[in-house]
Amino acid sequence: MRLVIAECSVTYAGRLNAFLPPAKRLIMIKADGGVLVHSDGGSYKPLNWMTPPNKLHVADPSESQRDEGIIELWTVQSQKVDDHLIISIYSIEHDSSHELGQDPGLIKDGVEADLQRLLSEQIHLLGTDYKLIRREYMTAIGPVDILAKNSTGETVAVELKRRGDIDGVEQLSRYVELLNRDPLLAPVHGVFAAQQIKPQARVLAEDRGFETLVLDYDAMRGVDDADSRLF
Amino acid sequence: MRLVIAECSVTYAGRLNAFLPPAKRLIMIKADGGVLVHSDGGSYKPLNWMTPPNKLHVADPSESQRDEGIIELWTVQSQKVDDHLIISIYSIEHDSSHELGQDPGLIKDGVEADLQRLLSEQIHLLGTDYKLIRREYMTAIGPVDILAKNSTGETVAVELKRRGDIDGVEQLSRYVELLNRDPLLAPVHGVFAAQQIKPQARVLAEDRGFETLVLDYDAMRGVDDADSRLF
DNA sequence: CGGTAGATCTCGCCC
DNA sequence: GGGCGAGGTCTACCG
């Protein structure tokens, strides 16, 4: 990884055109060729960047560019698409390179996939005598998170979210409507399950005739851990 | 901006839990308090980060942590939400600070607006004898991208996207439903137009009775350029 | 301030 | 490799 602090202006041309006026910024060049231009504020998104793979070419400025104070012209050309960055360097304050090696990567816990696995394993949270049909039940408009049968043998479609808002209820509505056209499955009931359900989403879900279910992730994980310890 | 290259492990606890095993990484501390942890690969997203405002606290390791090789413990606590990063430092290879100042910011040159302008000018792409009523036709629930009349004088509402997926079809559905309540406009037909339409979005659009239209931006721009050259 | 829609989205999964 | 959905999404815009 190479870190350069430089007075620079940046032009991006590709899927859109963008321009950064001259200012002092960090230019990060990663080992895989990725280039990031960061200012000293904002969130994690760079002002400008180029996704690898790409090729960095350093050129001398033209006469007129030299007159404007440009000492180097960096061109970052994407190898995949017709995108490029042009970085005009006015001055370099810092320039260092570091060998970082391969990163072991991030281990995540508590995303929708975890919730889905836990609810599948603890399908009784939906109600007494519920049976799992399958997770990620495929339809023409996308996968239903969980398909189950209730105690009377009727089909139940579960839409699972970490944060339940209106979009999720709309999604569930589409699935339930589609599934209900299948005589082998109908009647299909909808369950909207989430760690947190926003009031507007709850109202809409109930209005559509869906059950709502608030999930306690920590408790579900606790049960999971307890189960694991039995083996 | 402070740049630190260090052997470190990172724990995030907040909306989810995440852990980074020990490795050499870049830790970027921005002037506004934002903290980014980058590896030497991947795109612009850091492995871990903390959005400002937040507070960085440096502490000495405990006895047992010292035995593991940890020389410093950095805690980054969000001032807004109950999120924090804990960075365990094993060794520091590089540490430098730089005064960057305020950034003038990015100037973008949009694409979606162009697409709308081009389709308005080339309204025949919708079909023979179509007439433009207007762009950005305002309704109570937002602006309809393009409103037109077809060859038999019926109203057509166009939802325009760069990439057409299910959300866009839902948006069009809301508009068409609302517009159809207006006896002066009804019957209103829906057209879902995009540079690229995802299969599931196409299925949903056709199911809702909408026409789908794939737009060739380059061809449309080419026609536009040709038109421009006539003047 | 909250809600919505776009993004040079990124990232991960599954066919 | 393409398609699809989620994201600690981020970001701008609009009320």
Side-chain angles (χ1 to χ4, degrees), chain B residues 88-159:
Chain B
S88 302
I89 306 282
Y90 291 84
S91 68
I92 292 179
E93 172 178 319
H94 172 95
D95 190 345
S96 63
S97 293
H98 311 272
E99 200 60 53
L100 263 55
Q102 183 70 25
D103 200 282
L106 190 67
I107 301 158
K108 279 191 186 182
D109 182 11
V111 160
E112 176 125 353
D114 286 334
L115 205 60
Q116 197 188 96
R117 179 180 55 81
L118 289 169
L119 183 56
S120 302
E121 292 167 3
Q122 301 172 36
I123 199 74
H124 65 271
L125 290 173
L126 291 175
T128 313
D129 289 334
Y130 274 57
K131 303 266 181 265
L132 177 70
I133 298 176
R134 67 162 300 166
R135 293 162 56 183
E136 298 285 347
Y137 180 87
M138 278 307 304
T139 73
I141 56 170
V144 178
D145 287 337
I146 289 178
L147 209 64
K149 279 205 182 301
N150 66 16
S151 55
T152 60
E154 290 178 335
T155 310
V156 176
V158 182
E159 179 61 36

Side-chain angles (χ1 to χ4, degrees), chain B residues 43-44 108 161-163 174:
Chain B
S43 190
Y44 66 70
K108 279 191 186 182
K161 294 284 174 203
R162 228 163 46 79
R163 274 176 238 185
R174 289 196 296 271

Side-chain angles (χ1 to χ4, degrees), chain B residues 181-199:
Chain B
R181 294 185 197 167
D182 185 342
L184 293 175
L185 293 173
V188 178
H189 305 279
V191 174
F192 190 59
Q195 282 182 265
Q196 200 178 48
I197 297 180
K198 294 190 178 172

